[in-house]
Amino acid sequence: MTHNVSAARPPVRAPSRPVTRLEVAVDEDYEQFRARYEQAVPPLDYERTFDLVTQQAPWSAVIDLAEENGPLGFMIYWKFDAQPLFGLAGNRARCTEYLMGNHTIAERMYRHDAGSLLYAPLRTTIHESPSGETLFAIDRPSDTVAALGRSDITDVGRELDRKVGTLLRHLGTSVPDELT
């Protein structure tokens, strides 16, 4: 039996939206700031999280673990130190890329649209500018999720804006107005 896939295919949605890229100058050495960032945003405790899934634990246990694991509201899901690889091409600027987030916050978007996970966790970098200045960069979360066109999801994005602002304040950097 063959199916005419094109006849059943829904139309392509292609919403566009402006995204504000924020680069915050950090008045600190790259390695020092990176170390403090990684202390404030610890890695996700994959083992304990997996145990909760295996045990089919209640969602409240997931929330409790996330609050314990990421007391400032965020955890690192993945990180990539780019310079060693790109250094092979002669590049000297240091850059560490992160996927930073909180699955208990992401769930509050997921319940409305599973496709919201395209924007969670948040993508951030700590990198050096061409002049050697240390920068923290992120796309404003509320801008990224706005393409979904759902106010309940955009509201969570605005909450993430404020949480990123709180993180930056904790790290002693300036906080852009877009994150307040």
Side-chain angles (χ1 to χ4, degrees), residues 32-178:
Q32 289 175 325
F33 184 74
R34 186 174 92 158
R36 288 191 327 100
Y37 173 83
E38 291 180 9
Q39 183 176 22
V41 184
L44 171 69
D45 187 333
Y46 282 99
E47 185 176 331
R48 290 178 64 197
T49 302
F50 180 77
D51 287 346
L52 293 177
V53 172
T54 302
Q55 299 163 7
Q56 293 292 289
W59 187 248
S60 60
V62 175
I63 292 171
D64 291 345
L65 178 56
E67 288 174 356
E68 177 187 333
N69 191 178
L72 290 175
F74 295 114
M75 293 155 274
I76 295 170
Y77 290 83
W78 174 83
K79 91 175 189 178
F80 174 60
D81 184 358
Q83 196 286 321
L85 176 61
F86 295 120
L88 298 175
N91 298 297
R92 295 186 184 270
R94 294 176 289 180
C95 178
T96 305
E97 179 182 11
Y98 300 91
L99 293 180
M100 167 192 88
N102 184 320
H103 45 281
T104 66
I105 297 170
E107 183 280 327
R108 294 180 20 233
M109 296 185 292
Y110 182 93
R111 70 177 70 151
H112 301 291
D113 185 340
S116 66
L117 289 190
L118 180 61
Y119 309 112
L122 307 171
R123 189 176 199 152
T124 66
T125 64
I126 297 171
H127 65 277
E128 292 177 319
S129 71
S131 65
E133 179 180 36
T134 302
L135 300 170
F136 172 85
I138 187 170
D139 289 340
R140 182 169 50 180
S142 59
D143 290 349
T144 63
V145 300
L148 298 168
R150 296 195 52 130
S151 62
D152 39 16
I153 293 173
T154 303
D155 288 345
V156 176
R158 287 189 193 102
E159 178 185 336
L160 288 166
D161 294 348
R162 292 186 297 275
K163 283 187 172 298
V164 172
T166 299
L167 172 63
L168 291 173
R169 196 170 296 107
H170 172 82
L171 292 170
T173 70
S174 58
V175 178
D177 291 341
E178 292 85 353

